Amino acid sequence: MARRRRRSGTASRRILIASTLLFAASVVAFVAMKTDIGETVLQRAKALFPGKEASCCGADVVLTEFQVPVLAHVVNDLWRDGRARDIPLPPRLATPAQAVNVSLISQGRVVQQVWLREGTVMDALTAALTQFRSQLSAEQKAGIDGVELFLGHSFRTVDLEDYDEQVFAQHHRGIRGLEISYEDRTALYSPLMLLRRNRSASRLADEFAADSKIDRASLLRHGVFKIFDGEQIRVTLGSNPSAVLMERGNVYVKVTDIDAAAVRRAAALATDWLAANVAIDGALPYGYRPSDLKPLEGSNRIRQWMATIALQRAAQPRLDPEIWELAERNLAYNIATTYRQEGALGVITTENNQVSLGSVALAALAIHESHVGGRHAAEQAALGATIDSLHGENGAFRTFLRPATRNDNQNFYPGEALLYWASLEAKQPDPQRLERFMQSFRHYRDRYRAKRNPAFIGWHSQADYTMWQVTRAPELRDFVFEMNDWLISLQQWAVPTEYRDLMGRFYAPGAGYGPPHASSNGIYLEGLVDAFALARETGDTKRAEAYRIAILRGLRSVLQLQFSDDTDMFYVPPGFRRYVRGGIRTTEYDNVIRIDNVQHNLMAMLKILQVFKPADYRYPDASAPTPQPKP
């Protein structure tokens, strides 16, 4: 009797499903014929109600976000019972298993994984999960909480002359699968594995060559490299299974999803990352390696002092006593461990006893902005004396006190020193300081015009805008606009990119300005927000609009890079996620969290929350032309 009732219930469910599909199809047909949005609805309907079979792997066959809930139940059933319930399946499961990778997950770690290439995708899933169930003990099976899938397809053999661009180029990491063959040995690599291990394709080639007991050159000459595409799915098992269709191990952030709440949440997460990583003695590590679950080795005085500034600024809007206390503790730690008094001069020393203008300027700025800065007035004055000593009569700065022979980093350190001077001037005007500032401003404006570099723009935009608020000097305004008009032309929106998750970052491939980096995006945004505020204050609406849109696009990139939930932390064990959540990756394909990635983008977001009005978060219609600032 129980069996009959179960069959009857199944039949009833089938009738209900069929009726629902028929009704939905009728609605779709009516809308398609009678309204202007028919084509859009038909495309969505194809995703929701696909046909039974199709060749792999066109857009009408690959998995969609609307189909992964069904896949979640299929995988959950296979893991629990060894067979899937009788429901309509996505057509992708009926396609040939060109390369199906199945991984069992427990607390973020891979317990078992296998590649299968026979039968259909459904056959491969069934075989893999059946195999895993037979190999694990009851206790081990009880600890399994997820399954990761990569459904590979569309294999292409790469010619030797195309290896650098098609195989080893970093921006493919996490998107493409890779197959390497040499003689009778073949290895397959899932993009999820590359993200999990933070491995480059070049390093995989080295490892394959070593395992094959050949050198890299022989592998490149005589091996076969194939790249392939595929769907990435993370399935959470349990009584209410769920699944996420991932894109480079993440979920794509739409620029239209950016609003004040999203930015406020991202800023809070970044603040929490800094707070979670402050040690009892006040030290902040240089960063964190999610793949290795350990702090990033090394240190950088400039970036660590910038983190102090970021903590202080983050505490202000939150009025959070815990963040204030952490900022105070971090400031005290930095002074105790890096500050030295040398006669009348205050210096920030590195492990090899170097003293840079940038570290001195940012330490002085951190004390200046601190709510307990008065306790360290003597140190601030001595640091100011060092900055003054490095300023030349022609307006140029020497960028190192020690060694005196070094004078590099001219694109960075002078802007940091000028921002400190401008911040002082905003609180207590000093004619002599203003004169020195303007002398340096003109010197570095000429230097920039002789050889433009985006690295120059973020710090000088902030310094010049801060001083413009004091003086209203037109030449300061005009130069801020000149720099940022050029900067937004380097954003990867105007500059095409192969993958949409890279859109919004500031990077000009082949221009010689360095690789893409989250910290660069952050400092550019800091200056760009000031340029936006300046354009709005001066009534330059067209320029303000161009800057506003660039800021939204930049925010899209920032939120794409931030570790924010269980999806993008899929390989981080829960006990370690507090050291990762809120951190900002170096790039979409390099998961290392560096302290300046977080602080620059946090300070940019804090500025945006201050100057943006609710309407400023609205992204224009896709059909509208992108505004260009007037010359």
Side-chain angles (χ1 to χ4, degrees):
M1 291 296 292
R3 185 174 298 173
R4 288 179 182 175
R5 281 196 295 271
R6 190 154 51 239
R7 286 177 177 173
S8 176
T10 300
S12 299
R13 284 195 297 273
R14 287 174 177 168
I15 293 171
L16 178 60
I17 291 170
S19 301
T20 303
L21 291 175
L22 181 60
F23 174 77
S26 301
V27 172
V28 168
F30 174 82
V31 173
M33 291 185 292
K34 301 295 185 180
T35 72
D36 293 334
I37 61 172
E39 182 62 25
T40 301
V41 174
L42 284 173
Q43 291 175 359
R44 180 60 56 85
K46 289 178 181 178
L48 286 169
F49 312 115
K52 289 186 178 180
E53 294 183 5
S55 60
C56 191
C57 275
D60 58 336
V61 178
V62 294
L63 281 172
T64 70
E65 60 181 309
F66 306 104
Q67 296 168 333
V68 291
V70 175
L71 180 61
H73 283 280
V74 169
V75 171
N76 196 66
D77 289 350
L78 290 173
W79 174 246
R80 183 187 59 195
D81 302 325
R83 57 174 296 176
R85 67 190 69 188
D86 187 11
I87 57 175
L89 300 178
R92 180 71 170 97
L93 300 188
T95 62
Q98 297 182 37
V100 175
N101 183 248
V102 184
S103 299
L104 280 187
I105 307 300
S106 176
Q107 299 288 298
R109 301 179 187 273
V110 175
V111 177
Q112 297 263 36
Q113 74 92 26
V114 67
W115 284 95
L116 293 172
R117 311 184 75 169
E118 295 181 357
T120 65
V121 172
M122 185 66 181
D123 293 335
L125 295 180
T126 304
L129 293 171
T130 300
Q131 174 184 322
F132 293 155
R133 290 174 71 242
S134 68
Q135 292 173 339
L136 300 184
S137 67
E139 182 180 357
Q140 289 172 320
K141 284 189 281 191
I144 301 300
D145 53 36
V147 175
E148 288 172 15
L149 305 174
F150 179 66
L151 312 182
H153 64 79
S154 305
F155 280 69
R156 290 95 71 196
T157 300
V158 181
D159 293 331
L160 177 62
E161 61 269 20
D162 296 327
Y163 282 178
D164 285 345
E165 176 55 34
Q166 296 299 322
V167 176
F168 299 130
Q170 294 279 41
H171 64 283
H172 299 309
R173 189 197 307 182
I175 295 286
R176 292 176 173 175
L178 176 64
E179 178 184 282
I180 305 177
S181 299
Y182 180 82
E183 294 183 348
D184 60 349
R185 184 167 183 265
T186 296
L188 289 162
Y189 303 95
S190 160
L192 292 175
M193 183 277 286
L194 269 69
L195 293 172
R196 179 181 286 277
R197 296 174 59 195
N198 206 34
R199 287 289 194 273
S200 67
S202 181
R203 185 168 174 182
L204 292 178
D206 290 339
E207 293 173 354
F208 184 94
D211 292 341
S212 302
K213 296 180 172 51
I214 57 174
D215 57 37
R216 179 187 175 97
S218 297
L219 175 62
L220 296 183
R221 283 196 307 270
H222 304 298
V224 177
F225 286 76
K226 294 182 181 180
I227 55 176
F228 55 101
D229 304 318
E231 300 102 307
Q232 308 170 9
I233 307 100
R234 173 179 172 268
V235 179
T236 300
L237 302 172
S239 58
N240 186 27
S242 61
V244 178
L245 184 63
M246 298 190 291
E247 187 169 332
R248 208 192 296 266
N250 202 351
V251 174
Y252 177 68
V253 177
K254 299 175 183 176
V255 70
T256 51
D257 291 338
I258 304 297
D259 57 18
V263 178
R264 195 173 295 113
R265 177 177 181 270
L269 284 171
T271 303
D272 291 344
W273 183 87
L274 288 173
N277 284 277
V278 175
I280 293 175
D281 62 358
L284 261 170
Y286 188 39
Y288 196 81
R289 293 186 178 276
S291 291
D292 301 325
L293 303 177
K294 63 183 183 182
L296 182 63
E297 60 279 359
S299 65
N300 182 291
R301 296 289 188 256
I302 291 175
R303 293 161 186 163
Q304 287 165 315
W305 274 101
M306 280 193 295
T308 306
I309 297 170
L311 266 174
Q312 293 169 169
R313 292 182 184 178
Q316 294 173 9
R318 290 171 57 150
L319 298 177
D320 187 334
E322 180 182 353
I323 304 300
W324 281 121
E325 191 276 330
L326 289 173
E328 181 179 342
R329 193 195 314 166
N330 177 245
L331 175 66
Y333 174 85
N334 283 348
I335 290 176
T337 58
T338 70
Y339 177 82
R340 299 288 182 272
Q341 186 85 24
E342 298 182 357
L345 302 183
V347 299
I348 304 298
T349 58
T350 63
E351 293 88 344
N352 57 3
N353 204 32
Q354 292 190 357
V355 178
S356 72
L357 171 66
S359 61
V360 170
L362 290 171
L365 183 62
I367 296 171
H368 173 68
E369 293 191 5
S370 173
H371 69 292
V372 295
R375 300 178 189 172
H376 308 289
E379 290 91 339
Q380 182 183 348
L383 292 166
T386 303
I387 296 172
D388 293 344
S389 73
L390 293 171
H391 184 252
E393 292 183 0
N394 65 346
F397 282 97
R398 280 175 47 211
T399 53
F400 280 84
L401 182 68
R402 270 196 313 269
T405 54
R406 281 193 68 179
N407 199 28
D408 53 319
N409 285 307
Q410 285 285 340
N411 281 320
F412 300 98
Y413 298 169
E416 294 161 359
L418 290 176
L419 178 58
Y420 174 62
W421 278 358
S423 299
L424 293 178
E425 196 69 13
K427 286 195 173 182
Q428 188 173 0
D430 180 326
Q432 290 184 337
R433 183 170 53 229
L434 174 59
E435 181 180 354
R436 283 181 294 161
F437 179 98
M438 294 306 296
Q439 182 187 38
S440 291
F441 160 75
R442 295 176 185 120
H443 170 85
Y444 284 102
R445 179 180 59 185
D446 291 343
R447 189 180 187 280
Y448 168 83
R449 288 173 174 172
K451 189 176 182 180
R452 292 190 299 190
N453 191 303
F456 178 97
I457 294 173
W459 289 112
H460 284 269
S461 292
Q462 293 180 83
D464 296 349
Y465 171 64
T466 303
M467 189 60 84
W468 176 87
Q469 290 179 301
V470 176
T471 67
R472 293 300 198 264
E475 59 183 322
L476 292 170
R477 175 202 63 203
D478 294 345
F479 188 49
V480 170
F481 291 158
E482 178 184 330
M483 290 186 289
N484 286 277
D485 287 355
W486 180 61
L487 176 67
I488 62 175
S489 73
L490 304 180
Q491 191 174 33
Q492 287 206 290
W493 216 283
V495 180
T497 183
E498 190 168 353
Y499 302 115
R500 65 175 185 168
D501 65 338
L502 306 180
M503 298 293 279
R505 66 183 185 175
F506 294 87
Y507 174 52
Y513 301 131
H517 204 290
S519 64
S520 300
N521 292 346
I523 184 62
Y524 297 154
L525 281 174
E526 287 184 79
L528 188 57
V529 176
D530 282 353
F532 165 78
L534 178 57
R536 174 166 281 175
E537 289 175 51
T538 55
D540 193 336
T541 56
K542 187 172 182 179
R543 185 170 263 117
E545 180 67 0
Y547 294 165
R548 182 185 75 84
I549 292 172
I551 290 167
L552 290 174
R553 292 169 174 173
L555 281 170
R556 195 224 69 78
S557 177
V558 174
L559 269 61
Q560 190 76 60
L561 291 170
Q562 186 173 49
F563 285 103
S564 61
D565 56 30
D566 292 346
T567 297
D568 56 10
M569 292 189 290
F570 67 91
Y571 49 86
V572 180
F576 290 87
R577 289 183 180 177
R578 67 187 299 265
Y579 303 111
V580 176
R581 182 180 288 107
I584 295 176
R585 303 167 182 79
T586 297
T587 63
E588 292 78 4
Y589 37 84
D590 180 356
N591 67 13
V592 172
I593 302 169
R594 217 170 68 181
I595 197 169
D596 51 329
N597 298 351
V598 179
Q599 66 215 19
H600 276 309
N601 286 286
L602 170 58
M603 291 191 287
M605 289 187 285
L606 293 172
K607 281 187 176 184
I608 290 165
L609 290 168
Q610 287 181 323
V611 304
F612 262 35
K613 301 174 182 177
D616 291 330
Y617 293 96
R618 179 188 55 80
Y619 193 74
D621 183 88
S623 61
T626 300
Q628 299 297 323
K630 62 185 179 181

